[in-house]
Amino acid sequence: MKGLLVKDLKIVLAQKKFFIFAIGFGAIFAYTNKDVTFAATYIVLLTSMLSLSTLSYDDMDGGMSFLLTLPTTRKIYVLEKYIFTALNLILACVISVVICLVLGEMFGINTNLDKIISSTTGATVGMGLLLSINIPVEIKYGVEKSRTAILISIASVFIIVFGGYKLLTEVFDIDIKGKFTEFMEKLSAFNGALNAILVGILLVILFVILVVSYFFSCRIIQKKEY
């Protein structure tokens, strides 16, 4: 597994221009809007997607057929992908917070650490959920076909969420926005310890979802022929 982790790390490090672009765009947005919150979210979103790029490289030119001749198993390969994804998400979150604090000092922007951490945590959890769907889909269908499958899955989620929102607001006459605003106002009145607990709960939920996704990926790769 160590060799697989090193391979994926080298693939990611070879995309240095991608990191520079993400940080540069985030810096421009922070400077023009005097707010580093979007930069925090944007950096997490872009850097987290690098996990999927390693799957694309592995599948390129029959690479999986070669990898499976090495002293490894399909389950170890999948486990490595999820470990690498988890590490990538954690590092993306930490690096994003540090970069945003540096940008705040450079441009003289008032930075709210709690707000930055909340934004990066939300983006990390959101990307983790997306990757938990994308990884098994890409393993099953490959790079080209998975793009269509992923778009369909995202569209399905959007339709369900939008349809549920319309149903609750127009049919059952529930003020979703009002209740959400009220909830956020109550939440902001709580101390930092409770916010930390909520962040921890979100990360635990993400971990459970990734574990479930891992077992799905194991079942898919065991049946797939390369």
Side-chain angles (χ1 to χ4, degrees):
M1 184 185 294
K2 180 181 177 181
L4 294 174
L5 284 170
V6 171
K7 171 188 68 65
D8 286 346
L9 180 61
K10 287 183 177 292
I11 289 174
V12 170
L13 291 177
Q15 303 179 58
K16 291 186 278 294
K17 292 181 180 178
F18 189 83
F19 285 107
I20 296 172
F21 171 79
I23 296 171
F25 186 85
I28 292 171
F29 192 91
Y31 178 75
T32 55
N33 292 273
K34 300 301 180 183
D35 184 13
V36 296
T37 305
F38 175 81
T41 304
Y42 183 77
I43 293 170
V44 170
L45 293 179
L46 285 185
T47 53
S48 298
M49 291 302 294
L50 292 173
S51 298
L52 283 181
S53 69
T54 63
L55 279 168
S56 302
Y57 276 100
D58 289 347
D59 198 45
M60 190 182 299
D61 298 326
M64 279 300 301
S65 300
F66 170 74
L67 285 174
L68 294 176
T69 63
L70 300 176
T72 186
T73 65
R74 297 186 180 212
K75 283 188 176 181
I76 290 177
Y77 173 81
V78 173
L79 179 61
E80 183 274 334
K81 285 301 176 191
Y82 279 86
I83 291 175
F84 184 78
T85 297
L87 292 174
N88 189 29
L89 287 169
I90 294 170
L91 285 175
C93 186
V94 173
I95 291 172
S96 177
V97 172
V98 173
I99 289 174
C100 287
L101 291 176
V102 172
L103 291 176
E105 289 294 325
M106 287 176 58
F107 301 139
I109 302 171
N110 291 326
T111 55
N112 186 322
L113 184 59
D114 288 340
K115 190 176 181 181
I116 293 174
I117 292 175
S118 298
S119 299
T120 52
T121 302
T124 301
V125 172
M127 285 306 303
L129 294 175
L130 184 62
L131 291 172
S132 68
I133 298 173
N134 288 1
I135 292 174
V137 168
E138 190 155 326
I139 290 175
K140 182 175 179 64
Y141 296 107
V143 179
E144 295 300 328
K145 292 182 179 179
S146 66
R147 291 173 182 171
T148 303
I150 289 168
L151 287 174
I152 292 173
S153 64
I154 292 174
S156 300
V157 171
F158 175 79
I159 291 171
I160 292 171
V161 173
F162 183 76
Y165 176 80
K166 286 291 184 181
L167 180 67
L168 292 173
T169 54
E170 296 182 5
V171 178
F172 294 100
D173 197 24
I174 298 175
D175 185 10
I176 300 294
K177 290 183 179 179
K179 290 185 178 297
F180 180 76
T181 302
E182 183 182 350
F183 172 77
M184 293 303 295
E185 288 176 352
K186 290 181 179 179
L187 187 63
S188 62
F190 294 147
N191 54 33
L194 184 56
N195 289 335
I197 293 173
L198 291 174
V199 168
I201 291 172
L202 286 175
L203 294 177
V204 169
I205 292 172
L206 175 60
F207 174 77
V208 172
I209 292 173
L210 286 173
V211 170
V212 173
S213 174
Y214 161 74
F215 284 111
F216 272 106
S217 296
C218 284
R219 291 186 62 182
I220 291 169
I221 201 170
Q222 291 289 10
K223 297 178 180 179
K224 188 171 181 179
E225 294 183 4
Y226 291 100

